[in-house]
Amino acid sequence: MKEIRIHGRGGQGSVTAAELLAIAAFEDGRHSQAFPAFGVERRGAPVMAFVRLSDRTIRLRSQVYNPDYVIVQDATLIEAVDVASGLKPDGMILVNTEHSSEDLALETEATVRTIDATRIALDIIGKPIMNTVMLGAFAGASGEVKAESIKHAVRDRFPGPVGEKNADAVQHAYDRMVKS
Amino acid sequence: MTLPYAPIGKPGSSVANKTGGWRIFIPVFNAELCNGCGTCETFCPEGIVHKIEGGDTFIADYDYCKGCGICARECPKDAITMELEEK
Amino acid sequence: MTGKLKSGRMVVEGSYAVAHAAAMCRPDVISAYPITPQTHIVEDLSQFVADGAIDSKYINVESEFSALSALVGSSAAGARTYSATTSQGLALMHEVLFNAAGMRLPIVMTIVNRSMSAPINIWNDHQDSVAERDTGWIQLYIEDAQELVDTTVQAYLIGEDPDVSLPVMVCMDGFILSHVFEPVELLDQEKVDEFLPQFSPVRALDPENPESFGMFVDPEYYMDFRYLVEQAMDASRQKIADAARKFESAFGRYYGGLIDTYHTDGAEIILVAMGSLVGTLRDVVDDLREKGVSVGLLKIRAFRPFPIDEILKVVARAKVVVVLDKNISLGTGEGAVTTEIKAGLYDSGSDIRVPVMGFVVGLGGRDIPVGTVQRIVAKAKTVAESGVSGRSEFVDLKHLRV
């Protein structure tokens, strides 16, 4: 089983990202579970969402304490939250930032990957909503889920031009992470 | 006796319970003094004072009147008197 | 009309899953008042009605008291009825809960379990529904979104059985299950129609033949009517088991009847729990068994009626019973499940003398990590050896010392 923790701020679509990841992984033929950290949702407040992916039925209902992957939607959270907490040494943390992983100076043995998802979102979607970009980047960097499945889930959730733009952004981020 | 599965019964069962027998004093209505204002009907706690059929004055249904005397107390014309009922 | 709702296996939110399942049961009347974390369920259902996807009458009300009152009237008139609530909303229904059960009305209601104020808190535990255990409602606690879907359908079959004719609460853990996205088989309307016959009430209000429901009875009759409710509760034991098996034949899924067991044969330590915590415990049992710990799991699916006979059979040969209560009966120092198992053991007339350890866990949404359960099992091992258990305890207090 693989466990993923997503950090974001209220309004950045972290919970939606978790749901879409679960839907996409299910389409890939895996079992999945996504749930929020049950905060009182307020715009701008730090929020967390969790995803579990497994080849077997997922029965565990506790929060995620030792994630294989961490996705950070907003680098300013690094100041406020211990985003690498419990991250497995052989895991990976993916951060939305214009800086390099070295610049972040995160205290973790895990792999640190970065992507300027806000810039990609602005360029392709036209809005600073980076959650689908981060999913594309996660698919590329981790190989845990197919980009096609993410795109399918995104199109299904946001029918029409919005979904298409988001799907393009997913593909762009995926390609960027696979190549780099 | 057997009970139904739930407390369900025929409505209106209080009609079968003729409470007139509880009475000691009986209200006697004097049609000569009555001005037909209906105060007795309004105040009767049992809702059993009503207008005489075809007339303008009032009378109690003695099958149910418990003889409480409220109608007599409230009547502005003192047209109702409570009298000891012979049984 | 319901053909518009999708069916099949897909990833959906737990709340959507239960709204869909309720819709497939074709309720004539739905009435509910929104309250976190139940809100998504009634939003989804009102959307189904607005879209014309289901034929139900949706009655908007100004409180939970009114919601259940509306269903009492509807159910007495012979309608199949559905509601959902939680926490303070359920508490506000308290008086009407007794009426629904006493009038023998098979209303089905989803309880999205949440803590009780004060302090105000929106997260999960079982204090809300456990506090309503004496109202005459059947209470089923479920483990995952699929069991939630399947048990909702079973709940109508159980409650509407003429030998039972009682309302049913299907209890799901707030947020943990109401807001989870996971794979669920959404039921097909035709298959549900085959499984669940139309509601034919034992008696129903009829303007042509007026009757009074919930009438006044004096001391001559009252106690006998309460005994009838207890008899109906007793009759529901077999019906709950039958409904689970009938569902298995029709849909191929089974979650136990009154209880479910997992590796309890020959287990020295038996964990007991209700709700979504059972899933976590299954993982812990597997893990500990690999490490040679003789541990099994007993899931209480029906808390009302309380399945004491089934529990006693399972724990008879164990060395210790470990109860994880997501509720606290204040003034007893322990949760209700602990108390009831202890009472049942004493009452059994058998020579079962297994120690019972009670642990109050997860109140107000405090998470229950695997490590917490492992520490509890480690304590249980010492009791299994000594045969002597102490008082119940609160687990994982953070700001107070025990």
Side-chain angles (χ1 to χ4, degrees), chain B residues 3-16:
Chain B
L3 289 178
Y5 78 106
I8 301 170
K10 285 286 167 195
S13 60
S14 50
V15 173

Side-chain angles (χ1 to χ4, degrees), chain A residues 38-168:
Chain A
F38 318 142
V40 181
E41 287 85 355
R42 284 167 301 147
R43 209 168 181 84
V47 297
M48 283 192 292
F50 306 105
V51 183
R52 290 193 170 98
L53 307 176
S54 176
D55 296 327
R56 296 172 44 193
T57 303
I58 300 165
R59 307 178 297 190
L60 188 63
R61 297 285 172 187
S62 72
Q63 296 188 10
V64 170
Y65 295 94
N66 297 110
D68 298 275
Y69 301 101
V70 171
I71 299 173
V72 182
Q73 301 227 71
D74 185 333
T76 64
L77 283 167
I78 294 170
E79 307 287 316
V81 182
D82 183 6
V83 292
S85 169
L87 177 60
K88 288 180 181 160
D90 59 349
M92 179 192 78
I93 180 167
L94 172 68
V95 183
N96 169 24
T97 176
E98 59 205 13
H99 300 291
S100 69
S101 19
E102 292 75 31
D103 289 348
L104 292 177
L106 285 169
E107 284 183 30
T108 177
E109 293 173 41
T111 308
V112 181
R113 301 288 304 269
T114 63
I115 184 164
D116 191 356
T118 307
R119 171 51 50 199
I120 294 170
L122 283 169
D123 288 349
I124 300 179
I125 306 168
K127 284 181 183 166
I129 307 296
M130 74 301 280
N131 58 348
T132 52
V133 181
M134 291 301 282
L135 287 182
F138 174 75
S142 71
E144 291 288 347
V145 59
K146 289 182 185 148
E148 275 312 309
S149 304
I150 299 271
K151 283 157 69 179
H152 190 258
V154 164
R155 287 194 184 105
D156 204 50
R157 176 64 65 93
F158 311 106
V162 175
E164 289 308 321
K165 282 182 192 169
N166 274 275
D168 289 350

Side-chain angles (χ1 to χ4, degrees), chain B residues 50-75:
Chain B
H50 53 86
K51 208 173 253 188
I52 287 168
E53 214 169 303
D56 292 326
T57 61
F58 287 79
I59 191 74
D61 183 337
Y62 293 115
D63 279 349
Y64 300 101
C65 171
K66 297 170 180 170
C68 70
I70 290 173
C71 55
R73 171 79 178 240
E74 297 296 334
C75 178

Side-chain angles (χ1 to χ4, degrees), chain C residues 84-331:
Chain C
T85 192
T86 175
S87 185
Q88 313 301 122
L90 180 60
L92 189 54
M93 288 179 176
H94 180 67
E95 176 187 346
V96 195
L97 293 175
F98 281 96
N99 276 311
M103 289 163 70
R104 309 293 299 279
L105 303 172
I107 298 162
V108 170
M109 180 157 65
T110 304
I111 307 301
V112 189
N113 286 113
R114 166 185 148 182
S115 66
M116 296 297 302
S117 293
I120 194 163
N121 170 289
I122 57 171
W123 291 271
N124 167 247
D125 64 35
H126 295 160
Q127 292 184 86
D128 51 357
S129 55
V130 166
E132 304 297 352
R133 63 190 181 271
D134 300 334
T135 55
W137 285 60
I138 291 168
Q139 288 192 354
L140 306 173
Y141 288 77
I142 57 96
E143 184 181 337
D144 59 29
Q146 189 67 60
E147 186 181 5
L148 175 63
V149 166
D150 299 351
T151 303
T152 300
V153 181
Q154 293 173 36
Y156 281 103
L157 193 69
I158 296 160
E160 291 172 2
D161 188 293
D163 293 338
V164 178
S165 205
L166 284 175
V168 185
M169 291 181 194
V170 180
C171 303
M172 66 188 287
D173 285 330
F175 289 112
I176 298 170
L177 292 180
S178 62
H179 287 56
V180 73
F181 274 70
E182 65 183 18
V184 179
E185 174 86 25
L186 295 175
L187 303 180
D188 176 68
Q189 183 69 67
E190 277 180 29
K191 285 191 79 177
V192 176
D193 288 346
E194 263 174 51
F195 176 82
L196 181 65
Q198 280 199 319
F199 177 33
S200 66
V202 184
R203 299 260 282 272
L205 288 171
D206 174 9
E208 299 300 314
N209 177 31
E211 286 185 313
S212 178
F213 273 57
M215 63 188 188
F216 176 88
V217 302
D218 59 21
E220 175 73 15
Y221 296 107
Y222 180 85
M223 199 162 156
D224 300 67
F225 275 114
R226 297 312 274 171
Y227 182 70
L228 283 179
V229 177
E230 182 57 35
Q231 273 192 325
M233 269 282 174
D234 202 35
S236 76
R237 295 172 192 279
Q238 190 60 46
K239 307 292 181 180
I240 292 167
D242 291 349
R245 287 301 181 193
K246 185 183 169 189
F247 192 91
E248 184 185 24
S249 319
F251 295 90
R253 292 186 293 272
Y254 181 74
Y255 309 92
L258 295 157
I259 64 166
D260 190 23
T261 57
Y262 190 64
H263 294 308
T264 50
D265 281 353
E268 292 183 357
I269 301 168
I270 293 186
L271 306 174
V272 181
M274 309 196 292
S276 67
L277 173 58
V278 170
T280 299
L281 296 182
R282 286 181 198 273
D283 272 12
V284 174
V285 166
D286 282 354
D287 180 51
L288 290 173
R289 285 210 153 242
E290 273 180 28
K291 292 170 183 157
V293 182
S294 178
V295 59
L297 167 65
L298 190 161
K299 155 175 150 182
I300 295 186
R301 193 161 172 263
F303 179 56
R304 282 294 178 273
F306 193 69
I308 191 61
D309 292 342
E310 288 76 6
I311 293 170
L312 290 183
K313 269 182 213 146
V314 173
V315 305
R317 288 185 167 72
K319 288 193 174 165
V320 60
V321 177
V322 178
V323 187
L324 305 181
D325 265 299
K326 271 194 183 180
N327 72 89
I328 171 67
S329 179
L330 295 167

